[in-house]
Amino acid sequence: MIAILKKELWSYFGNWSAWIIIAAFSLITTLFLFFFDNDSNIFEIGMASLQSYFVLVPWLLMFIIPALSMKTFAEEQQTGTLNWLFSQPLKISDLVTGKFLSVWIVGVLCLIPSLIYLYTVYVLGVPAGNIDLGMTFGSYIGLIILIAAFAGVGILASSLSQNQIMAYLLGVFMCFIMYFGIEQLASYKLLGGADFILQNIGFYQHFLGFTRGLIDSKDIAYFILVIGASLVLSNHFINKKK
């Protein structure tokens, strides 16, 4: 697993793709938070808070994480190297976990530049430091866990597809449905009492608790279950390709 993790990380950072994604992610969030005229602009909100950042980022991650994960297995199938990996003394579970961790790590690194935003808002607050750090750090933890969930879904999409474009489109679609689609469907209240159950199947409600500074064991357990299920299914579909 460690060997696969190192190989994948090198493939991301060795050809500059990870650096470009991190830079693009940081540029987009900077423009939305400080320059563009929109509801996320911190200066227009007039509050020492990064909540608009935590609302914006999941939507960006919905496109970025599938872009990172689409190559994990789809590219291996396209180039024929998946069969070579099958011939190595390597467990499929180690292969899946190593690739998952590499996507997760690169996704988390996208958040590092946002510490500059945190410092900026901290200094600009009146008085300086007038920011809810508990809510902020809770939101960061929520984002780290959400990235893992998106990575698991993206790995699953890649294991189901035979080319990278289909893996990307399927990954974006699955992440969108899990984060927003289910929540939006439940908001129509078409199923009566079952709407609450439907609402809790999606990512949004569980991530929302973190953005309020509430680190609930139920939300953590939910994401662990989703990630575990995604990796188990990925393992199953890759085994079927042997």
Side-chain angles (χ1 to χ4, degrees), residues 7 57 59 66 73 83 167 172 174 185 190 193-194 199 205 213 222:
K7 169 185 171 294
V57 166
W59 290 95
F73 289 109
N83 290 327
V172 171
M174 292 169 67
L185 182 61
L190 301 174
Q199 199 173 41
Q205 283 298 318
Y222 164 81

Side-chain angles (χ1 to χ4, degrees), residues 5 8-13 17-19 21-22 25 61 64-65 68 99-112 147:
L5 175 60
E8 291 296 313
L9 288 177
W10 174 251
S11 72
Y12 287 125
F13 289 99
S17 60
W19 300 108
I21 288 174
I22 293 172
F25 179 85
L61 293 173
I64 288 176
I65 300 302
L68 290 168
K99 288 178 177 290
F100 161 75
L101 289 175
S102 67
V103 174
W104 187 18
I105 289 171
V106 177
V108 171
L109 289 177
C110 288
L111 304 179
I112 299 299
I147 289 170

